[in-house]
Amino acid sequence: MRELFASLQQTAESGELPTLNDVTAFLHLSEKMTMHADDSWHSEAEDFLHLTRQLLMVVKKRNIQEAVLLIDALHDAQTFCHKTFRVEG
């Protein structure tokens, strides 16, 4: 998931639209993450999933600006979760 998200970020930083295949794959991983999320961070995982679904919609509409904004929002959400919740394992 990290590698795929890094690829999405790199694409956005280049001012390009991520591929539909990459965003769809990322959505599936986000769905799995939400299904397996612990109760302590489940609501944040749902928020992340919501942002990912929005990203899929804007990529389908070929809206580069919105895609970049959503990828930034996903990065912020990821950073918050990583700082707030520790995943043991």
Side-chain angles (χ1 to χ4, degrees):
M1 186 168 187
R2 287 181 194 202
E3 293 83 16
L4 185 53
F5 187 59
S7 175
L8 294 175
Q9 286 180 297
Q10 185 176 20
T11 302
E13 288 171 3
S14 299
E16 299 175 22
L17 193 67
T19 67
L20 188 57
N21 286 341
D22 284 350
V23 176
T24 301
F26 191 70
L27 174 62
H28 290 303
L29 293 172
S30 297
E31 289 171 338
K32 285 183 181 182
M33 178 185 70
T34 302
M35 288 188 319
H36 298 289
D38 186 80
D39 287 343
S40 64
W41 59 278
H42 190 266
S43 64
E44 283 79 10
E46 286 181 335
D47 291 344
F48 193 86
L49 179 58
H50 177 72
L51 289 170
T52 306
R53 286 181 176 144
Q54 287 181 321
L55 177 61
L56 179 64
M57 296 305 294
V58 300
V59 168
K60 285 182 177 180
K61 293 179 182 179
R62 308 212 34 89
N63 187 329
I64 295 171
Q65 292 83 7
E66 286 294 318
V68 169
L69 290 174
L70 285 166
I71 290 171
D72 286 345
L74 284 163
H75 178 261
D76 291 345
Q78 176 192 49
T79 300
F80 171 79
C81 285
H82 286 179
K83 287 182 180 177
T84 307
F85 304 98
R86 283 197 94 118
V87 178
E88 301 296 328

